[in-house]
Amino acid sequence: MVNGVERPLDLLNQSKGKEILVQLKNEKQLVGTLLAFDIHINIVLSNTRELENGDIKRNIGLTFLRGDTIIYISPSKAS
Amino acid sequence: MVNGVERPLDLLNQSKGKEILVQLKNEKQLVGTLLAFDIHINIVLSNTRELENGDIKRNIGLTFLRGDTIIYISPSKAS
Amino acid sequence: MVNGVERPLDLLNQSKGKEILVQLKNEKQLVGTLLAFDIHINIVLSNTRELENGDIKRNIGLTFLRGDTIIYISPSKAS
Amino acid sequence: MVNGVERPLDLLNQSKGKEILVQLKNEKQLVGTLLAFDIHINIVLSNTRELENGDIKRNIGLTFLRGDTIIYISPSKAS
Amino acid sequence: MVNGVERPLDLLNQSKGKEILVQLKNEKQLVGTLLAFDIHINIVLSNTRELENGDIKRNIGLTFLRGDTIIYISPSKAS
Amino acid sequence: MVNGVERPLDLLNQSKGKEILVQLKNEKQLVGTLLAFDIHINIVLSNTRELENGDIKRNIGLTFLRGDTIIYISPSKAS
Amino acid sequence: MVNGVERPLDLLNQSKGKEILVQLKNEKQLVGTLLAFDIHINIVLSNTRELENGDIKRNIGLTFLRGDTIIYISPSKAS
């Protein structure tokens, strides 16, 4: 069913170039295309939209996001 | 009674492929099938549902969850 | 009076297989039988009950608990 | 006046076997006899009482307390 | 589409000398020209303006910002 | 004007045996004589008084204070 | 335009002996002359004034400030 996710970061690796949903600790979400990540789960998104209660609040384009602000990342619900 | 749990991570290892309940610090829960975890307790779940007060709030599918947002993980109460 | 507690983790070691009370930072308590712990004070409990204001709120069975959510662990008041 | 406290942990070492007051970040206090501590200031107390606004709220006996929940420890005001 | 962002810090490196928007954990934003950053995401901005709800609250000029106060950095929305 | 403070801890070193004011993150202050400190800014004070809004709330005598609860330490305003 | 700031700490190094504004996480500000700092951004200020909403609340003189309480440091707006 799900192949190739042996370690948590494998999922992020498979999601490069795809749109992901990022749930933040401050109750907001970011949606954008995953360009890069590191072991701190710092990530770079392109075409990023900030959502509040499911509505797009603003477009912030290319964005560097600190990993310690993230609750979860869901690749499948962003598209 | 309970076999093979010598270290805490042994329980997570035994729960791979099974449905688990994850209690988050933000008072919500995630339920999903455990695919992978690491020493930071970062985990990947498939078929993930987000719960609030016991009710399914939304389906978020395949999900990467940061370990530092977790209070507890209960394999036995998720199914 | 109290023997064999030279280092704090000695108390947890002596409590393996016994019921313990865990006071969480979120004001709730967990009661269960201590199966395993590590140096981060991540613990595994069996037959775990979640308490709120002293009342059992729900049974969550076998549970992995992150150490950074704990205030104190009391072996003597759980039974 | 005060002898033998060259490093902060010296005070904890001198307080072993004595009653101490522990002020927690959650506004409560614990009073008990110090049995053990480590470099994370994790401590074990015996005959522990939990106080709220100066009143004993409950007896929790032998207790393991995580260091990161502590504001201060006062040996002289516990007896 | 987006070239040269293999690791998250690459985006910050490309943004040196350009105006960036910094979203802080305290709900405010800083806008300024990125002069320097390090692996902790500590950054130095010149011509820094502090925004609240999108309005410039005050000019704070040359500024050292601690990385652990940042949610995201967006180079494309600052100009 | 101020001599011998090349590194921040030099100020604490110069303040040993003197009365200091410690501003805590929980909005309270401690005043006492600095006996010892370490690199985590854990400190030991003697003759410690806890202040709230500038008023002495209680005497807690000899006290071990965790460094991560401190905002600032001011030697000059304590006497 | 701005010379010699290759790494964030270069700005602090250039600011030694000058007055700086320090924005704290608790919404207050400190203004004082920077005497010393370390890699944790612990700093020592002389002639320190604590501000609330832009007004001087009190003079605290020579002060050791923990780095983890700081949001930003602005040398140019303090004078």
Side-chain angles (χ1 to χ4, degrees):
Chain A
M1 187 191 285
V2 181
N3 296 310
V5 180
E6 303 226 336
R7 294 160 301 174
L9 294 189
D10 291 344
L11 179 59
L12 299 187
N13 216 31
Q14 291 176 11
S15 303
K16 276 190 179 175
K18 298 184 187 160
E19 201 156 72
I20 62 170
L21 169 74
V22 184
Q23 176 65 50
L24 302 180
K25 290 179 181 169
N26 71 354
E27 311 245 321
K28 291 176 187 161
Q29 295 94 37
L30 296 183
V31 173
T33 302
L34 181 63
L35 294 186
F37 68 91
D38 62 22
I39 55 162
H40 306 292
I41 326 294
N42 295 322
I43 67 178
V44 170
L45 300 175
S46 65
N47 187 26
T48 314
R49 288 89 73 202
E50 190 176 24
L51 284 80
E52 203 166 345
N53 301 320
D55 299 316
I56 293 176
K57 201 179 142 196
R58 53 180 175 171
N59 271 273
I60 54 175
L62 199 58
T63 300
F64 172 95
L65 178 67
R66 270 183 70 97
D68 70 340
T69 66
I70 296 173
I71 297 179
Y72 64 72
I73 297 173
S74 176
S76 49
K77 294 305 290 183
S79 55
Chain B
M1 187 190 287
V2 181
N3 296 311
V5 180
E6 303 227 336
R7 294 160 301 174
L9 296 189
D10 291 345
L11 179 59
L12 299 187
N13 216 30
Q14 291 177 12
S15 303
K16 277 189 177 173
K18 298 184 187 159
E19 201 156 72
I20 62 170
L21 169 75
V22 184
Q23 175 66 50
L24 302 180
K25 290 180 181 168
N26 71 355
E27 311 246 321
K28 291 177 187 161
Q29 295 95 37
L30 296 183
V31 173
T33 302
L34 181 63
L35 295 186
F37 68 91
D38 63 22
I39 55 162
H40 307 292
I41 326 294
N42 295 322
I43 67 178
V44 171
L45 299 175
S46 66
N47 187 27
T48 314
R49 287 89 71 201
E50 190 177 24
L51 283 81
E52 204 166 346
N53 301 321
D55 299 317
I56 293 177
K57 202 180 140 196
R58 53 180 174 170
N59 271 273
I60 54 175
L62 199 58
T63 300
F64 172 95
L65 178 68
R66 269 183 70 97
D68 70 339
T69 67
I70 296 173
I71 297 178
Y72 63 72
I73 297 172
S74 177
S76 50
K77 293 305 289 183
S79 54
Chain C
M1 187 191 286
V2 180
N3 295 312
V5 180
E6 303 227 336
R7 294 160 301 173
L9 295 189
D10 291 345
L11 178 59
L12 299 187
N13 217 30
Q14 291 177 11
S15 303
K16 277 190 179 174
K18 298 184 187 159
E19 201 156 71
I20 62 171
L21 170 74
V22 184
Q23 176 66 49
L24 302 180
K25 289 180 182 168
N26 71 355
E27 310 246 322
K28 292 176 187 161
Q29 295 95 37
L30 295 183
V31 172
T33 303
L34 180 63
L35 296 186
F37 68 91
D38 62 23
I39 54 163
H40 306 292
I41 326 295
N42 295 323
I43 67 177
V44 171
L45 298 175
S46 65
N47 187 26
T48 314
R49 286 89 72 202
E50 190 177 23
L51 283 81
E52 203 165 346
N53 301 320
D55 298 316
I56 293 176
K57 201 179 142 196
R58 53 180 174 169
N59 272 273
I60 54 174
L62 198 58
T63 299
F64 172 96
L65 178 67
R66 269 184 70 97
D68 70 340
T69 66
I70 296 173
I71 297 178
Y72 64 71
I73 296 173
S74 178
S76 50
K77 293 304 289 183
S79 53
Chain D
M1 186 191 286
V2 181
N3 295 312
V5 180
E6 303 227 336
R7 294 161 301 174
L9 295 189
D10 291 345
L11 179 59
L12 300 187
N13 216 29
Q14 292 176 11
S15 303
K16 276 190 179 175
K18 298 183 187 158
E19 201 156 72
I20 61 171
L21 169 74
V22 184
Q23 176 66 49
L24 303 181
K25 290 179 181 168
N26 71 356
E27 310 246 322
K28 292 178 187 161
Q29 295 94 37
L30 296 184
V31 172
T33 303
L34 180 63
L35 295 186
F37 68 91
D38 63 24
I39 56 162
H40 306 290
I41 325 296
N42 295 323
I43 66 177
V44 171
L45 299 175
S46 65
N47 187 25
T48 313
R49 286 89 73 203
E50 190 176 24
L51 282 81
E52 203 165 347
N53 301 320
D55 298 317
I56 293 177
K57 201 179 141 196
R58 53 179 174 169
N59 271 273
I60 53 174
L62 198 58
T63 299
F64 172 95
L65 179 66
R66 269 184 70 98
D68 70 340
T69 66
I70 296 173
I71 297 178
Y72 63 71
I73 297 173
S74 178
S76 50
K77 293 304 289 182
S79 55
Chain E
M1 187 191 285
V2 180
N3 296 310
V5 180
E6 303 225 336
R7 293 161 301 173
L9 295 189
D10 290 345
L11 178 59
L12 299 187
N13 216 31
Q14 291 177 12
S15 304
K16 276 190 179 174
K18 300 185 187 158
E19 200 156 71
I20 61 171
L21 169 74
V22 184
Q23 175 66 49
L24 302 181
K25 290 179 181 168
N26 72 355
E27 311 245 321
K28 292 178 186 159
Q29 294 94 38
L30 296 183
V31 173
T33 302
L34 181 63
L35 295 186
F37 67 90
D38 62 23
I39 55 162
H40 306 292
I41 326 296
N42 295 322
I43 66 179
V44 171
L45 300 174
S46 66
N47 187 26
T48 313
R49 289 88 74 204
E50 190 176 24
L51 284 80
E52 203 167 346
N53 302 318
D55 298 317
I56 293 177
K57 202 179 141 195
R58 53 180 175 170
N59 272 274
I60 54 174
L62 199 58
T63 299
F64 172 95
L65 178 67
R66 269 183 70 97
D68 69 340
T69 66
I70 296 173
I71 297 178
Y72 64 72
I73 296 172
S74 177
S76 49
K77 294 304 289 182
S79 55
Chain F
M1 187 191 284
V2 181
N3 295 310
V5 180
E6 303 227 335
R7 293 160 301 174
L9 295 189
D10 291 346
L11 178 59
L12 300 188
N13 216 30
Q14 291 176 12
S15 303
K16 277 189 178 176
K18 298 185 187 159
E19 201 156 73
I20 62 171
L21 168 75
V22 184
Q23 176 66 48
L24 302 181
K25 290 180 181 168
N26 72 355
E27 311 246 321
K28 292 177 186 160
Q29 295 94 38
L30 296 183
V31 172
T33 303
L34 181 63
L35 295 185
F37 68 90
D38 62 24
I39 55 163
H40 306 291
I41 325 297
N42 295 322
I43 66 177
V44 171
L45 299 175
S46 65
N47 187 25
T48 314
R49 286 89 73 203
E50 189 176 23
L51 282 81
E52 204 166 345
N53 301 319
D55 297 317
I56 293 177
K57 201 179 141 197
R58 52 179 175 171
N59 272 273
I60 53 174
L62 198 59
T63 298
F64 172 95
L65 178 66
R66 269 184 70 98
D68 70 341
T69 66
I70 296 172
I71 296 178
Y72 63 71
I73 297 172
S74 178
S76 48
K77 293 304 288 183
S79 55
Chain G
M1 187 191 284
V2 181
N3 296 310
V5 180
E6 303 228 336
R7 293 161 302 172
L9 295 189
D10 291 345
L11 179 59
L12 299 187
N13 216 31
Q14 291 177 12
S15 303
K16 277 189 179 176
K18 299 185 186 158
E19 201 156 72
I20 62 171
L21 168 74
V22 184
Q23 176 66 48
L24 302 180
K25 290 180 181 168
N26 72 356
E27 311 245 321
K28 292 176 186 160
Q29 295 94 37
L30 296 184
V31 172
T33 303
L34 181 63
L35 295 185
F37 67 90
D38 62 25
I39 55 163
H40 306 291
I41 325 296
N42 295 322
I43 66 178
V44 171
L45 300 174
S46 66
N47 187 26
T48 314
R49 288 89 73 202
E50 189 176 24
L51 284 81
E52 203 166 346
N53 301 320
D55 298 317
I56 292 177
K57 202 179 141 195
R58 53 180 174 170
N59 272 273
I60 54 174
L62 198 58
T63 299
F64 172 95
L65 178 67
R66 269 184 70 97
D68 69 341
T69 66
I70 296 173
I71 296 178
Y72 63 72
I73 296 172
S74 178
S76 49
K77 293 303 288 182
S79 56

